[in-house]
Amino acid sequence: MSLVGAYVALSKPLTAAFPVMLLAWLRFGIAALAMPHWLRRPPGEPPMTRRTRALVFLESFLGNFLFSVCMLFGVTMTSAVSAGVVMASIPAVVAVGSWLFLRERIGARTVAAIACAALGIGLLALSPAHGAAPGSTGAPPRMPWLGNLLIFCAVLCEASYAVIGKSLTGRLGPKRISSLINLWGFVLSTPFGVWLALRFDFGAVGAGLWLLLLVYALAASVWTVWLWMTGLKSVPAARAGVFTVMLPVSAAMVGVLVLGEPLAPLQMAAFALALAGVLLATWPARRPAAQAVH
């Protein structure tokens, strides 16, 4: 989750250099070259059923392809700090998704967490669009409300990714899941990527941005997916939600400390409310005292 938050923030320089769909295609393509050996079915793993294939496709389409498109378009229109605030609603959205699709009960703390996330995003909407950081040559974010809306769509995709991923880890290994959903992402983005690549001047991209693209591709499609799926094999999905707190924190901190984005008072209040919602949604429930052994 820390890596996801970091690459969400660091994708801003990349979206300034590459068209969004070309960037997504390059990301999936670089990652596909890094893990072709992960596609092979390991000994002892049963063949994929039709249901498993459908889940793999949905995991890639929602959690990989649509998440990347919404997130990359979103960060071109808003700040990394604002994206971090919106993404702090992930645990609450996962809770609502669990209630809708898994019929899990939502307690009073979860309701309060959802309210905190909604208030945080509401405060963010009231915050005036801020300009570029002092001394920065970048332009101020354009259409921040639309950017924040797209980031929230990415939140919905991420919540779907968490729920479907837990189901997949009982059927496939983490490495195979990572490679399969990345391959689907490459297939889905290829028509857009090829069309844009034929019209793009790759020679205008500096070496530093190519290095950042390489790190972004490996982090987004290889390292974070493998780490998340490996963890989900032994950690319940609800408990895994605790660690999503690192996503918005990391994105906002990279925005402030690395990209030099300002942090306005209303944004600080929105971020505090969003994090309060995360804590409410993920704080472990008090366990009953163990009975004495007679």
Side-chain angles (χ1 to χ4, degrees):
M1 286 297 104
S2 299
L3 282 172
V4 173
Y7 80 63
V8 165
L10 290 174
S11 64
K12 284 185 69 66
L14 290 172
T15 56
F18 294 94
V20 166
M21 294 306 300
L22 176 60
L23 177 59
W25 182 62
L26 291 172
R27 163 202 160 170
F28 294 128
I30 292 171
L33 293 174
M35 50 180 175
H37 52 296
W38 286 5
L39 286 169
R40 187 181 301 110
R41 180 164 63 94
E45 183 180 280
M48 288 194 294
T49 64
R50 182 178 299 179
R51 173 179 170 80
T52 303
R53 293 178 188 276
L55 288 175
V56 168
F57 173 77
L58 284 175
E59 181 79 338
S60 180
F61 180 68
L62 295 173
N64 237 4
F65 179 72
L66 275 187
F67 174 81
S68 296
V69 171
C70 292
M71 184 270 292
L72 291 172
F73 273 115
V75 296
T76 64
M77 303 177 187
T78 189
S79 68
V81 173
S82 298
V85 175
V86 177
M87 287 188 297
S89 64
I90 289 175
V93 175
V94 171
V96 173
S98 299
W99 174 70
L100 286 174
F101 299 106
L102 304 178
R103 299 303 178 191
E104 294 183 356
R105 187 178 65 87
I106 295 182
R109 283 197 313 168
T110 303
V111 173
I114 295 170
C116 283
L119 285 172
I121 295 173
L123 270 182
L124 186 65
L126 294 175
S127 177
H130 50 276
S136 171
T137 59
R142 54 188 177 88
M143 300 180 70
W145 65 271
L146 181 56
N148 293 336
L149 179 62
L150 286 170
I151 295 296
F152 185 71
C153 290
V155 166
L156 297 177
C157 294
E158 183 71 10
S160 303
Y161 177 83
V163 174
I164 297 171
K166 180 60 180 176
S167 178
L168 280 175
T169 55
R171 297 172 168 86
L172 303 173
K175 290 182 178 180
R176 194 151 187 244
I177 295 173
S178 304
S179 59
L180 285 171
I181 65 175
N182 179 79
L183 189 60
W184 264 119
F186 180 72
V187 170
L188 290 168
S189 60
T190 289
F192 309 98
V194 170
W195 186 81
L196 290 167
L198 294 174
R199 294 159 175 78
F200 185 74
D201 181 13
F202 288 96
V205 181
L209 280 174
W210 284 114
L211 179 60
L212 182 59
L213 173 61
L214 175 64
V215 173
Y216 165 67
L218 295 177
S221 288
V222 183
W223 303 332
T224 56
V225 182
W226 177 78
L227 286 168
W228 182 255
M229 295 301 172
T230 302
L232 278 180
K233 285 184 69 69
S234 54
V235 176
R239 190 180 303 167
V242 174
F243 300 98
T244 61
V245 67
M246 297 309 300
L247 195 158
V249 169
S250 177
M253 290 305 97
V254 169
V256 173
L257 300 177
V258 179
L259 302 181
E261 293 182 352
L263 193 61
L266 267 180
Q267 287 179 315
M268 293 179 66
F271 195 53
L273 270 173
L275 287 182
V278 170
L279 290 175
L280 281 170
T282 59
W283 195 268
R286 182 179 299 177
R287 295 182 179 180
Q291 295 181 351
V293 179
H294 295 286

CSV table of all heavy atoms in Angstrom, one decimal, residues 7 12 32 50 70 76 91 99-100 125 134 138 146 151 159 176 189 197 201 205 210 225 230-232 245 249 278 291:
chain,number,residue,atom,x,y,z
A,7,TYR,N,3.5,5.5,-6.0
A,7,TYR,CA,3.5,5.6,-7.5
A,7,TYR,C,2.3,6.4,-8.0
A,7,TYR,O,2.3,6.9,-9.1
A,7,TYR,CB,3.6,4.2,-8.1
A,7,TYR,CG,2.4,3.3,-8.2
A,7,TYR,CD1,1.3,3.7,-8.9
A,7,TYR,CD2,2.4,2.1,-7.6
A,7,TYR,CE1,0.2,2.8,-9.0
A,7,TYR,CE2,1.3,1.2,-7.7
A,7,TYR,CZ,0.2,1.6,-8.4
A,7,TYR,OH,-0.9,0.8,-8.5
A,12,LYS,N,2.4,11.7,-11.5
A,12,LYS,CA,2.1,13.1,-12.0
A,12,LYS,C,3.1,13.5,-13.1
A,12,LYS,O,2.7,14.0,-14.2
A,12,LYS,CB,2.0,14.1,-10.9
A,12,LYS,CG,0.7,14.0,-10.1
A,12,LYS,CD,0.5,15.0,-9.1
A,12,LYS,CE,0.4,16.4,-9.7
A,12,LYS,NZ,-0.9,16.5,-10.4
A,32,ALA,N,5.0,-7.0,-18.4
A,32,ALA,CA,4.8,-8.3,-19.1
A,32,ALA,C,6.2,-8.8,-19.5
A,32,ALA,O,6.4,-10.1,-19.4
A,32,ALA,CB,4.0,-8.1,-20.3
A,50,ARG,N,-14.0,-21.9,-15.5
A,50,ARG,CA,-14.6,-20.7,-16.2
A,50,ARG,C,-14.8,-19.6,-15.2
A,50,ARG,O,-14.6,-18.4,-15.6
A,50,ARG,CB,-16.0,-21.1,-16.8
A,50,ARG,CG,-16.6,-20.0,-17.6
A,50,ARG,CD,-17.9,-20.5,-18.2
A,50,ARG,NE,-17.7,-21.5,-19.2
A,50,ARG,CZ,-18.6,-22.1,-19.9
A,50,ARG,NH1,-19.9,-21.8,-19.7
A,50,ARG,NH2,-18.3,-23.1,-20.8
A,70,CYS,N,-8.5,5.7,-14.5
A,70,CYS,CA,-9.1,6.7,-13.6
A,70,CYS,C,-8.1,7.4,-12.8
A,70,CYS,O,-8.1,8.6,-12.7
A,70,CYS,CB,-10.2,6.1,-12.7
A,70,CYS,SG,-11.6,5.4,-13.6
A,76,THR,N,-3.9,14.1,-13.3
A,76,THR,CA,-3.6,15.2,-14.2
A,76,THR,C,-4.5,16.4,-13.9
A,76,THR,O,-4.1,17.5,-14.3
A,76,THR,CB,-3.8,14.8,-15.7
A,76,THR,OG1,-5.2,14.5,-15.9
A,76,THR,CG2,-2.9,13.6,-16.1
A,91,PRO,N,-11.1,2.0,2.8
A,91,PRO,CA,-11.7,1.0,3.8
A,91,PRO,C,-13.2,1.1,3.9
A,91,PRO,O,-13.9,0.1,4.0
A,91,PRO,CB,-11.0,1.4,5.1
A,91,PRO,CG,-9.7,2.0,4.7
A,91,PRO,CD,-10.1,2.8,3.4
A,99,TRP,N,-20.9,-5.4,2.4
A,99,TRP,CA,-22.3,-5.4,2.8
A,99,TRP,C,-23.2,-5.7,1.6
A,99,TRP,O,-24.1,-6.5,1.7
A,99,TRP,CB,-22.7,-4.1,3.5
A,99,TRP,CG,-24.2,-4.0,3.8
A,99,TRP,CD1,-24.9,-4.7,4.7
A,99,TRP,CD2,-25.1,-3.2,3.1
A,99,TRP,NE1,-26.2,-4.4,4.7
A,99,TRP,CE2,-26.4,-3.4,3.7
A,99,TRP,CE3,-25.0,-2.2,2.1
A,99,TRP,CZ2,-27.5,-2.7,3.3
A,99,TRP,CZ3,-26.2,-1.6,1.7
A,99,TRP,CH2,-27.4,-1.8,2.3
A,100,LEU,N,-22.9,-5.1,0.5
A,100,LEU,CA,-23.7,-5.3,-0.7
A,100,LEU,C,-23.6,-6.7,-1.3
A,100,LEU,O,-24.6,-7.3,-1.7
A,100,LEU,CB,-23.4,-4.2,-1.8
A,100,LEU,CG,-23.9,-2.8,-1.5
A,100,LEU,CD1,-23.3,-1.8,-2.5
A,100,LEU,CD2,-25.4,-2.7,-1.4
A,125,ALA,N,-13.7,19.3,-1.4
A,125,ALA,CA,-14.5,19.9,-2.5
A,125,ALA,C,-14.6,21.4,-2.2
A,125,ALA,O,-14.6,22.2,-3.2
A,125,ALA,CB,-15.8,19.3,-2.7
A,134,PRO,N,5.6,26.8,-4.8
A,134,PRO,CA,6.5,27.9,-5.0
A,134,PRO,C,7.8,27.4,-5.7
A,134,PRO,O,8.4,26.4,-5.2
A,134,PRO,CB,6.7,28.5,-3.6
A,134,PRO,CG,5.5,28.1,-2.8
A,134,PRO,CD,5.1,26.7,-3.4
A,138,GLY,N,5.6,23.7,-12.8
A,138,GLY,CA,4.4,23.0,-13.3
A,138,GLY,C,3.2,23.9,-13.2
A,138,GLY,O,3.2,24.9,-12.4
A,146,LEU,N,-13.3,17.3,-11.1
A,146,LEU,CA,-13.4,16.1,-12.0
A,146,LEU,C,-12.2,15.2,-11.7
A,146,LEU,O,-12.4,13.9,-11.7
A,146,LEU,CB,-13.3,16.6,-13.4
A,146,LEU,CG,-13.4,15.5,-14.5
A,146,LEU,CD1,-14.6,14.6,-14.3
A,146,LEU,CD2,-13.3,16.0,-15.9
A,151,ILE,N,-10.6,10.0,-9.2
A,151,ILE,CA,-9.8,9.3,-8.2
A,151,ILE,C,-10.8,8.5,-7.4
A,151,ILE,O,-10.5,7.3,-7.0
A,151,ILE,CB,-9.1,10.3,-7.3
A,151,ILE,CG1,-8.0,11.0,-8.1
A,151,ILE,CG2,-8.4,9.6,-6.1
A,151,ILE,CD1,-6.9,10.1,-8.6
A,159,ALA,N,-11.5,-1.1,-4.4
A,159,ALA,CA,-12.3,-1.9,-3.5
A,159,ALA,C,-12.7,-3.2,-4.1
A,159,ALA,O,-12.6,-4.3,-3.5
A,159,ALA,CB,-13.5,-1.1,-3.0
A,176,ARG,N,1.2,-16.1,-10.3
A,176,ARG,CA,0.4,-16.3,-11.5
A,176,ARG,C,-0.7,-15.3,-11.6
A,176,ARG,O,-1.0,-14.8,-12.7
A,176,ARG,CB,-0.2,-17.7,-11.5
A,176,ARG,CG,-0.8,-18.1,-12.9
A,176,ARG,CD,-0.7,-19.6,-13.0
A,176,ARG,NE,-1.1,-20.0,-14.4
A,176,ARG,CZ,-2.1,-20.7,-14.7
A,176,ARG,NH1,-2.9,-21.2,-13.7
A,176,ARG,NH2,-2.4,-21.0,-15.9
A,189,SER,N,-5.4,-2.4,-23.2
A,189,SER,CA,-4.8,-1.1,-23.5
A,189,SER,C,-4.1,-1.0,-24.8
A,189,SER,O,-3.8,0.1,-25.3
A,189,SER,CB,-3.9,-0.6,-22.4
A,189,SER,OG,-2.8,-1.5,-22.3
A,197,ALA,N,1.1,5.6,-29.8
A,197,ALA,CA,2.5,5.4,-30.0
A,197,ALA,C,2.9,5.9,-31.4
A,197,ALA,O,4.0,6.4,-31.6
A,197,ALA,CB,2.9,4.0,-29.7
A,201,ASP,N,6.3,11.5,-30.0
A,201,ASP,CA,7.7,11.7,-30.1
A,201,ASP,C,8.4,11.1,-28.9
A,201,ASP,O,8.6,11.8,-27.9
A,201,ASP,CB,7.9,13.2,-30.3
A,201,ASP,CG,9.4,13.5,-30.5
A,201,ASP,OD1,10.2,12.5,-30.8
A,201,ASP,OD2,9.8,14.7,-30.4
A,205,VAL,N,11.4,12.5,-24.7
A,205,VAL,CA,11.4,12.1,-23.3
A,205,VAL,C,12.8,11.9,-22.8
A,205,VAL,O,13.6,11.2,-23.4
A,205,VAL,CB,10.6,10.8,-23.2
A,205,VAL,CG1,10.5,10.3,-21.7
A,205,VAL,CG2,9.1,10.9,-23.7
A,210,TRP,N,12.3,8.1,-18.3
A,210,TRP,CA,12.3,6.7,-18.7
A,210,TRP,C,12.6,5.8,-17.5
A,210,TRP,O,12.0,4.7,-17.3
A,210,TRP,CB,13.3,6.4,-19.8
A,210,TRP,CG,12.9,6.8,-21.2
A,210,TRP,CD1,13.4,7.8,-21.9
A,210,TRP,CD2,11.8,6.3,-21.9
A,210,TRP,NE1,12.7,8.0,-23.1
A,210,TRP,CE2,11.7,7.0,-23.2
A,210,TRP,CE3,10.8,5.3,-21.7
A,210,TRP,CZ2,10.8,6.8,-24.1
A,210,TRP,CZ3,9.9,5.1,-22.7
A,210,TRP,CH2,9.8,5.8,-23.9
A,225,VAL,N,1.4,-5.9,-6.7
A,225,VAL,CA,0.4,-7.0,-6.9
A,225,VAL,C,0.8,-8.3,-6.2
A,225,VAL,O,0.1,-8.9,-5.5
A,225,VAL,CB,0.1,-7.2,-8.4
A,225,VAL,CG1,-1.0,-8.3,-8.6
A,225,VAL,CG2,-0.3,-5.9,-9.0
A,230,THR,N,0.2,-12.1,-2.1
A,230,THR,CA,0.9,-13.0,-1.1
A,230,THR,C,0.3,-12.8,0.3
A,230,THR,O,0.1,-13.8,1.0
A,230,THR,CB,2.4,-12.8,-1.1
A,230,THR,OG1,2.9,-13.0,-2.5
A,230,THR,CG2,3.1,-13.7,-0.2
A,231,GLY,N,0.1,-11.5,0.7
A,231,GLY,CA,-0.4,-11.2,2.0
A,231,GLY,C,-1.9,-11.8,2.2
A,231,GLY,O,-2.2,-12.3,3.2
A,232,LEU,N,-2.7,-11.6,1.1
A,232,LEU,CA,-4.1,-12.0,1.2
A,232,LEU,C,-4.2,-13.6,1.4
A,232,LEU,O,-5.3,-14.0,1.8
A,232,LEU,CB,-4.8,-11.6,-0.1
A,232,LEU,CG,-5.3,-10.2,-0.1
A,232,LEU,CD1,-6.1,-9.9,-1.4
A,232,LEU,CD2,-6.3,-9.9,1.1
A,245,VAL,N,-4.3,2.2,5.0
A,245,VAL,CA,-4.0,3.5,5.5
A,245,VAL,C,-2.7,4.0,5.0
A,245,VAL,O,-2.6,5.2,4.8
A,245,VAL,CB,-4.0,3.4,7.1
A,245,VAL,CG1,-2.8,2.6,7.5
A,245,VAL,CG2,-3.9,4.8,7.7
A,249,VAL,N,-1.7,8.0,3.0
A,249,VAL,CA,-0.6,8.7,3.7
A,249,VAL,C,0.6,8.8,2.8
A,249,VAL,O,1.3,9.9,2.7
A,249,VAL,CB,-0.2,7.9,5.0
A,249,VAL,CG1,1.1,8.5,5.6
A,249,VAL,CG2,-1.3,8.0,6.0
A,278,VAL,N,-10.4,6.1,8.4
A,278,VAL,CA,-9.6,4.9,8.2
A,278,VAL,C,-9.5,4.1,9.6
A,278,VAL,O,-9.6,2.9,9.7
A,278,VAL,CB,-8.3,5.2,7.6
A,278,VAL,CG1,-7.4,4.0,7.7
A,278,VAL,CG2,-8.5,5.7,6.2
A,291,GLN,N,-11.8,-17.3,28.7
A,291,GLN,CA,-12.4,-18.0,29.9
A,291,GLN,C,-11.3,-18.7,30.6
A,291,GLN,O,-10.3,-19.2,30.0
A,291,GLN,CB,-13.5,-19.0,29.4
A,291,GLN,CG,-14.7,-18.3,28.8
A,291,GLN,CD,-15.7,-19.3,28.4
A,291,GLN,OE1,-15.5,-20.5,28.4
A,291,GLN,NE2,-16.9,-18.8,28.1
